[in-house]
DNA sequence: GGATAAACGAGACGGTACGTCCAGTCTTATA
DNA sequence: TATAAGACTGGACGTACCGTCTCGTTTATCC
């Protein structure tokens, strides 16, 4: 943010990240993760996170903008166990089979009760906070989407889907229906559903 | 609900809907609608609604379960101006043209800043409250979806889409991508986007 | 009150006492008495009285000015079981013995836990409501005090106390100390205490 | 209070008095004092005190048990302007004159409208809250009574009152009647009344 | 290695809103 | 027309958290 250096108006002096306590940071993120599962996102409070983490409230306010930012960070840290190697989807040459593998896994994840609370928490936050939505796209969805698009590109090169296919749109076609069904709880999330989505999408993208 | 007679557990005695003040009901819903637009859903408070409506807080708590339920009702009442005649989509015989008309309208609606706040409010609430989600499906989405499916059915009878097409899935294919893009703000909502969605969906559903 | 006839300003029309439901009146007073004992005066509510009595709240507001008025009436009705024959103190000719009899009884009454709650309720109300205090003096304390003064007058005529003794003051001398000790819980209420008060008072009043 | 260590039941963690804001404390007490005078004890609310004092409600609830406790503290702080030197009554050697001086002052105080509200407030609270009554005896009445008893003791030593006189009872004889008359508004509070009380009491205590 | 400055835990603070309770008024339907 | 029932506006209750603000207490460079 570095407001001071940019504007010269600074009132709130910036904390020095070099001196940040990693112990506290980790305790906060872990407490946030636990509490989202225990009480749900809506009933999650900064106060409870601080207490559970054994951390002063100020420490949280010092390093995060909002409750949403903490939760976001918590699941960001979780989803990438720190690893940095690029994500890659299976590529057997058979785009249909590969996509079904991936979509079945995704559907299973969405149907898993243990993912329920955190994903809903994240989604709630993203809806109303454009900043977090941007971060989400950049840090979480982005890399994954890139991997998916890479696989689609490879299929396009292999002539399995139309050369002029809009890959962003293709992803939306795959994941949008699933996301909506999950969000509105408007139907079952089964492997068959995953397969059907892949079939339809591939038919739509056919050359 | 008549909880008493069903469960014998009831302690909170049910209010008698016959004696409900319509004046208060309407004032609350209108205040809720105004305030969602003015301050957004997250900063909306029951207290503010009561004050704006000139109503005791208890009157709100007596008739609605939560802030979400009030807002939901507010937009439910709004979306159906009381009319009861069934919703119907245009049917010129040309499914592509008809769907494009409808989707362009929908996309425009989602892009309209005046719809922004209420739809996000509704979505936020639906994510975390299965009850409201069910009500949403039944009272708001349901009738509209039924009309859409009727149009698709007519197209199917005309041989424009596959006889074995799953119409629920078809709807998800049309609206899921749009909804996701809007929610995540991951791309522009233009008439071209609407057209592209229709094109892809119809291709996927082709006999 | 008859505000209408006196001022011609009346807005609130007076209820007609002739049509008053004696059943409701009695139910209210009994409920008030019970509830004072159960929850104490401070936590007593009109609503609870109405509910317990099986009476509409309006019926209470129609016939009583305040919670205090109801409680007052309740104990007024109780203290005089409806009887109207004048109260009289024992008169054996021995003022000391007679007063000790009476004072011991009074002290016992104040010390009795069953009298605790109602008397404190009454006193609380009287402190802050001059109207009720006046009613108290007139309807409850008055007749009793008159009886006490009659006995003292008889003693004065018998030459047992000074001819110029102020009988009102004499009563205060007898009952004020007791009342204060009870109110402040600043000492035990025993028969010996009663006797000591009588001894001192009589010594003070001696010719 | 250290309830935890004594009972092991405590859940509510005790605030740390060392960190208490003296600024807030004083503002609350002053606001309470003002408001009792302006609206009376019965209509006094914690909310109003907090607002007037510019203090959060929680700050009041953190440090006082009840409205009564605040008001009590307010007048406790007032009555002893912080001074700690022991209270002493005049001792000219003439017990009658000295007592009349003191009682006339007390009577005047009770008759003073500015004392009316606070004393009634205090009394109301004391009647129904044994804890506050105990505090009252200990912190307010106690020291004063001790001073009065010291004066009576000196009179006893001088042979002006009986050697076996019960001094607590003597005080009740002096102040009980006054207190009752004031409370019930059953008679005028004049200097003559004060004198009469002293005369009677001294006659009762005469050797 | 001791000084010193930042981040830290703790938690009190002024506030806002919560959801509940009750006051006192108003409305409806019995009797 | 008085009543029982109970919905209404209004306002205080006591609680929960917010985000800010001291407090000492670590902790981590810099002299």
């Amino acid at each position: 943010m570095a407001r001071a250096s940019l504007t010269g108006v600074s009132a709130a002096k910036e904390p020095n990240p070099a001196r940040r306590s990693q112990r506290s940071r980790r305790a906060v993120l872990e407490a946030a993760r636990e509490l989202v599962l225990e009480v749900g996102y809506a009933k999650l409070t900064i106060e409870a996170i601080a207490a559970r983490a054994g951390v002063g409230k100020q420490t949280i306010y010092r390093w995060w903008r909002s409750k949403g930012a903490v939760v976001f960070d918590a699941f960001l840290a979780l989803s990438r166990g720190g690893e940095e190697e690029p994500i890659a989807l299976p590529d057997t040459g058979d785009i249909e089979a590969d996509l079904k593998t991936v979509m079945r896994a995704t559907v299973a994840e969405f149907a898993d009760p243990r993912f329920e609370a955190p994903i809903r928490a994240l989604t709630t936050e993203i809806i109303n906070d454009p900043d977090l939505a941007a971060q989400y796209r950049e840090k979480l969805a982005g890399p994954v989407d890139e991997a998916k698009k890479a696989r689609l590109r490879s299929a396009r090169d292999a002539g399995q889907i139309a050369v002029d296919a809009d890959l962003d749109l293709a992803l939306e076609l795959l994941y949008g229906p699933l996301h909506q069904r999950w969000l509105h709880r408007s139907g079952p999330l089964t492997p068959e559903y995953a397969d059907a989505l892949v079939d339809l999408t591939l038919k739509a993208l056919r050359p």
Side-chain angles (χ1 to χ4, degrees), chain A residues 79-89 139 143-144 146-147:
Chain A
S79 80
R80 314 173 304 145
E83 102 296 355
E84 283 304 321
E85 76 269 26
I87 304 145
L89 263 51
K139 301 247 185 70
V144 177
E146 214 39 67

Side-chain angles (χ1 to χ4, degrees), chain A residues 57-73:
Chain A
K57 280 200 290 178
Q58 201 55 246
T59 299
I60 298 185
Y61 286 108
R62 184 153 35 231
W63 300 111
W64 288 276
R65 294 197 325 37
S66 66
K67 177 176 83 165
V70 177
V71 172
F72 182 84
D73 247 31

Side-chain angles (χ1 to χ4, degrees), chain A residues 5 7 12 14 39 44 58 63 67 74 98 118 136 139 161 165 169 200:
Chain A
S5 52
T7 66
E14 298 295 332
V39 305
L44 181 65
Q58 201 55 246
W63 300 111
K67 177 176 83 165
D98 289 353
Y136 168 77
K139 301 247 185 70
I161 65 178
L169 198 45
L200 282 172

Side-chain angles (χ1 to χ4, degrees), chain A residues 13-187:
Chain A
K13 68 164 172 287
E14 298 295 332
N16 176 356
R19 309 197 48 169
R20 179 169 189 181
S21 158
Q22 288 307 310
R23 203 196 145 283
S24 295
R25 180 175 170 275
R26 268 190 295 269
V28 166
L29 296 180
E30 190 180 331
R33 237 174 290 131
E34 291 172 12
L35 284 166
V36 161
L37 291 178
E38 291 174 24
V39 305
Y41 180 74
K43 293 194 178 171
L44 181 65
T45 68
I46 298 267
E47 213 134 72
I49 297 174
R52 170 78 60 103
V55 139
K57 280 200 290 178
Q58 201 55 246
T59 299
I60 298 185
Y61 286 108
R62 184 153 35 231
W63 300 111
W64 288 276
R65 294 197 325 37
S66 66
K67 177 176 83 165
V70 177
V71 172
F72 182 84
D73 247 31
F75 291 101
L76 180 63
L78 178 111
S79 80
R80 314 173 304 145
E83 102 296 355
E84 283 304 321
E85 76 269 26
I87 304 145
L89 263 51
D91 191 345
T92 64
D94 180 350
I95 183 68
E96 183 186 328
D98 289 353
L99 282 183
K100 284 184 176 172
T101 303
V102 170
M103 284 301 284
R104 280 167 172 247
T106 305
V107 163
E109 202 170 275
F110 274 80
D112 184 336
R114 284 171 306 148
F115 282 76
E116 195 71 8
I119 309 185
R120 290 194 189 274
L122 216 47
T123 308
T124 304
E125 205 54 32
I126 281 168
I127 288 176
N128 294 300
D129 186 336
D131 273 17
L132 280 181
Q135 265 197 70
Y136 168 77
R137 286 197 310 281
E138 184 191 338
K139 301 247 185 70
L140 277 176
V144 177
D145 285 357
E146 214 39 67
K148 291 170 189 162
K149 285 197 278 184
R151 181 64 191 85
L152 289 178
R153 215 172 283 121
S154 136
R156 191 170 57 185
D157 296 344
Q160 295 169 321
I161 65 178
V163 285
D164 62 344
D166 177 336
L167 298 188
D168 286 309
L169 198 45
L171 284 188
E172 283 177 0
L173 225 48
L174 270 174
Y175 291 91
L178 165 59
H179 195 259
Q180 190 185 37
R181 177 173 285 209
W182 168 79
L183 200 111
H184 290 167
R185 300 176 168 88
S186 51

